[in-house]
Amino acid sequence: MTTRATQLTTHTLDVPGATLAYDVRGNDASTEPILLLIGAPMGAAGFGTLSQHFSDRTVVTYDPRGSERSLMTDPAGPVTPEIHADDLHRLIQAIGGGPVDLFATSGGAINALALVSKHPEDARTLVAHEPPLASILPDREHALAAARAIHETYQRSGWGAGMAHFFAVTSHHGPFTAEIAGQPGPDPAMFGMPTEDDGSRTDPMLGQHMITSTHYEPDFDALRSASTRIVLAAGEESEGQMTSRGAVAVAERLGTKPVVFPSDHGGFLGGEYGQTGQPDAFAAKLHEVLAARA
């Protein structure tokens, strides 16, 4: 570990079935817990901007197994929230042990809920931002069917068609119906996506995560009894979409209310992946939520 504040160092960690890559922006002068920023399947590259707003403490980011630099022994092997939770537990042990403060977004929020249900001692505060948990929505049957339809389009027609179908489903506002879930995916060209199928079926989001993440059912008894302070976060601009509705549904089951964060599902992005939300305002809100711990 480097002793110079905010200097980036990169490390690897061998775990069963994979080698995880993670980055440490160290600040040995800080008395605050390490801040672990995670997504899934999005990796460390998505947190470059957000990390810069937390130079007052050590920040750790990582690539989940099967994404970016974190290679799996068997690329076709299973990837579930429970497996990701085991990886996160080992990662936290490798960086010095918990409790850490944990900001987790999208599929990462689902994996973080799985982690806290098994290892609450690993996290002091979890801010779970927009977990796409179709499994716990009131319209779960149709929401799950819509997620499966994205996966099936990808398997049948490739990445461009799968991403177009993904955009159509994730931008939908309000409950899903049988009609909406059964709609075919739109023309990929409408979204600037390739119309030709390159034959690859290795995309972690459209492949395994689209099913394992959306279908995961959290252990709410374990979460309610956990020592971790759990805060659900929903974007002000994504109200009514599946990811925001997932945050609301989890909060309801935990007897809390979600905290509204600026922007949308990618509100923390500052140009990563060609997307820009409101990273300054988003980071300020995250600072506020972490500082308000019980």
Side-chain angles (χ1 to χ4, degrees):
M1 182 79 70
T2 179
T3 57
R4 189 165 58 186
T6 70
Q7 181 175 334
L8 175 68
T9 59
T10 297
H11 311 261
T12 59
L13 175 66
D14 290 330
V15 297
T19 298
L20 306 179
Y22 66 97
D23 300 319
V24 178
R25 292 169 172 84
N27 184 340
D28 290 345
S30 174
T31 59
E32 293 291 335
I34 289 171
L35 176 60
L36 178 57
L37 306 176
I38 68 169
M42 187 187 78
F47 294 109
T49 300
L50 187 59
S51 296
Q52 295 173 16
H53 288 272
F54 290 88
S55 58
D56 59 321
R57 60 165 81 191
T58 292
V59 177
V60 175
T61 56
Y62 94 122
D63 295 337
R65 66 167 61 208
S67 296
E68 305 294 338
R69 303 164 297 173
S70 293
L71 304 180
M72 296 171 58
T73 304
D74 176 10
V79 182
T80 66
E82 293 89 349
I83 291 173
H84 283 304
D86 289 340
D87 288 348
L88 288 167
H89 176 64
R90 292 184 173 93
L91 173 60
I92 290 169
Q93 297 306 303
I95 60 177
V100 301
D101 281 342
L102 179 54
F103 171 78
T105 186
S106 195
I110 295 174
N111 299 340
L113 291 169
L115 168 71
V116 168
S117 68
K118 295 177 66 176
H119 300 286
E121 72 282 358
D122 281 352
R124 181 179 71 163
T125 297
L126 163 61
V127 180
H129 178 247
E130 298 208 338
L133 283 167
S135 61
I136 63 171
L137 299 180
D139 47 316
R140 69 184 305 272
E141 176 184 354
H142 302 310
L144 290 170
R148 288 194 297 270
I150 296 170
H151 175 75
E152 290 164 3
T153 295
Y154 169 64
Q155 294 295 342
R156 181 176 59 252
S157 303
W159 185 81
M163 283 302 299
H165 204 160
F166 171 81
F167 289 143
V169 169
T170 56
S171 62
H172 172 74
H173 286 75
F176 287 90
T177 64
E179 179 182 9
I180 293 170
Q183 287 179 346
D187 182 352
M190 293 174 56
F191 298 90
M193 297 293 159
T195 57
E196 297 296 323
D197 182 0
D198 65 4
S200 172
R201 296 296 185 271
T202 58
D203 186 88
M205 182 181 71
L206 298 175
Q208 296 200 48
H209 284 77
M210 186 51 58
I211 300 300
T212 58
S213 289
T214 60
H215 287 55
Y216 175 72
E217 297 193 20
D219 183 342
F220 286 104
D221 287 339
L223 292 173
R224 280 188 288 265
S225 64
S227 56
T228 305
R229 172 178 170 246
I230 302 173
V231 178
L232 275 299
E236 62 182 349
E237 296 176 15
S238 47
E239 182 179 359
Q241 296 176 347
M242 182 192 291
T243 52
S244 175
R245 294 178 65 218
V248 172
V250 174
E252 287 178 348
R253 296 286 289 273
L254 296 180
T256 64
K257 293 184 178 181
V259 175
V260 177
F261 269 62
S263 194
D264 54 17
H265 193 61
F268 54 91
L269 295 172
E272 294 87 351
Y273 312 113
Q275 301 178 51
T276 301
Q278 298 178 32
D280 294 348
F282 194 101
K285 188 65 176 182
L286 183 54
H287 270 288
E288 175 188 320
V289 170
L290 293 174
R293 62 187 178 272

